[in-house]
DNA sequence: TAATGGATGTTCT
DNA sequence: GAACATCCATTAT
């Protein structure tokens, strides 16, 4: 399948967020290839969004978000977890889409090991354990701060391709999860009836 | 099934 | 010193 071009990522953040649903995200880390279809995302925008990391300007932590659309922004949270974003809109803006959940495609054995899921009992309801949340997704795909600042168009370790066509009628939206500011914005988007989504 | 609280460290006030 | 785009085990209902 074809990979998106720069212009795909430089559109309005809401547009990119919706169009990322159904795309296949692949990582190649530690000699292991893993991939999954993006089924849930959240949009974070530079203007009118107090919950966005860049709401108060550029800092050491968020500087990667000011790259051109298509760069990867990973941050460390709660002392033990990572969250992965894809930068959107043109160079210098500071917008991104948070990746919240994937439906596994390739390298499931590797993902199970990274998530420390071993017993058969646990593998029976994988959709509630493997990658249904931003930090679970990072663990499953082996994403950490080393990937922050990579260009998803050229990186050898993380890439994106079109995979499944998702129409507007298949996309639902609601408030973003885990934030205290700008909770009125319905900027979480997910694929309707997809069981790999973190919260329906 | 819902609610609570601990783990853990970086960033910003 | 508080907040934090989380997760999971434990406890209460």
């Amino acid at each position: 399948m074809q990979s998106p071009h720069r212009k795909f990522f430089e559109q309005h953040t809401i547009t990119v967020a919706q169009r990322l649903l159904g795309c296949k995200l692949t990582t190649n880390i530690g000699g292991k290839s893993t991939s999954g279809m993006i089924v849930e995302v959240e949009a974070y925008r530079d203007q009118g969004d107090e919950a966005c990391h860049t709401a108060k300007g550029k800092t050491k932590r968020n500087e990667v978000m000011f790259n051109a659309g298509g760069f990867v922004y990973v941050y460390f949270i709660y002392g033990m977890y990572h969250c992965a974003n894809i930068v959107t809109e043109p160079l210098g803006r500071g917008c991104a889409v948070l990746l919240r959940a994937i439906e596994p495609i390739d390298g499931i054995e590797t993902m199970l090991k990274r998530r420390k899921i071993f017993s058969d009992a646990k593998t029976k309801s994988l959709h509630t354990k493997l990658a249904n949340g931003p930090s679970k997704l990072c663990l499953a795909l082996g994403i950490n701060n080393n990937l922050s600042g990579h260009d998803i168009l050229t990186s050898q370790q993380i890439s994106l391709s079109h995979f499944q066509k998702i129409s507007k009628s298949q996309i639902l939206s609601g408030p973003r999860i885990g934030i205290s500011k700008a909770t009125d914005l319905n900027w979480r988007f997910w694929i309707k009836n997809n069981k790999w989504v973190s919260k329906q």
Side-chain angles (χ1 to χ4, degrees):
Chain A
M1 266 294 196
Q2 198 179 345
S3 295
H5 292 105
R6 182 73 64 200
K7 288 219 172 304
F8 173 88
F9 299 102
E10 293 192 329
Q11 300 174 88
H12 193 290
T13 307
I14 303 291
T15 302
V16 180
Q18 294 176 340
R19 293 190 180 170
L20 280 173
L21 295 174
C23 284
K24 179 179 175 179
L25 179 68
T26 304
T27 61
N28 223 304
I29 291 164
K32 303 286 186 184
S33 178
T34 50
S35 69
M37 182 176 78
I38 298 169
V39 299
E40 180 184 351
V41 296
E42 284 178 3
Y44 287 88
R45 201 142 191 279
D46 60 337
Q47 294 176 354
D49 181 6
E50 280 297 307
C52 185
H53 280 186
T54 61
K56 290 180 179 167
K58 189 184 280 191
T59 65
K60 177 106 186 172
R61 177 215 208 185
N62 67 25
E63 62 184 1
V64 168
M65 280 183 73
F66 291 87
N67 280 314
F71 278 72
V72 178
Y73 169 51
V74 180
Y75 63 87
F76 188 63
I77 188 113
Y78 296 128
M80 38 171 48
Y81 296 114
H82 296 276
C83 292
N85 302 252
I86 298 178
V87 176
T88 58
E89 314 225 13
L91 184 71
R93 287 289 300 281
C95 309
V97 173
L98 170 70
L99 306 176
R100 282 198 58 91
I102 58 165
E103 174 176 339
I105 299 171
D106 303 308
I108 294 180
E109 286 303 316
T110 299
M111 293 194 241
L112 287 171
K113 280 182 197 160
R114 287 175 178 158
R115 293 280 298 112
K116 305 192 191 306
I117 299 172
F118 301 116
S119 77
D120 286 346
K122 285 183 177 175
T123 60
K124 292 226 166 97
S125 56
L126 267 191
H127 59 283
T128 68
K129 302 184 178 70
L130 189 65
N132 63 323
S135 297
K136 293 182 190 178
L137 178 157
C138 284
L139 285 168
L141 294 178
I143 294 173
N144 59 34
N145 276 356
N146 294 334
L147 281 190
S148 201
H150 277 224
D151 182 354
I152 208 166
L153 273 61
T154 58
S155 175
Q156 300 299 304
Q157 293 178 83
I158 183 165
S159 60
L160 194 75
S161 61
H162 291 298
F163 185 66
Q164 187 173 313
K165 171 74 181 169
I166 305 295
S167 67
K168 273 273 165 70
S169 63
Q170 293 174 269
I171 300 176
L172 295 181
S173 67
R176 294 170 293 182
I177 293 177
I179 57 169
S180 56
K181 296 173 182 167
T183 52
D184 56 315
L185 299 174
N186 290 333
W187 284 2
R188 183 170 74 103
F189 303 97
W190 64 94
I191 299 176
K192 188 178 176 179
N193 294 333
N194 186 293
K195 70 174 185 177
W196 298 88
V197 168
S198 71
K199 197 167 166 232
Q200 298 286 342

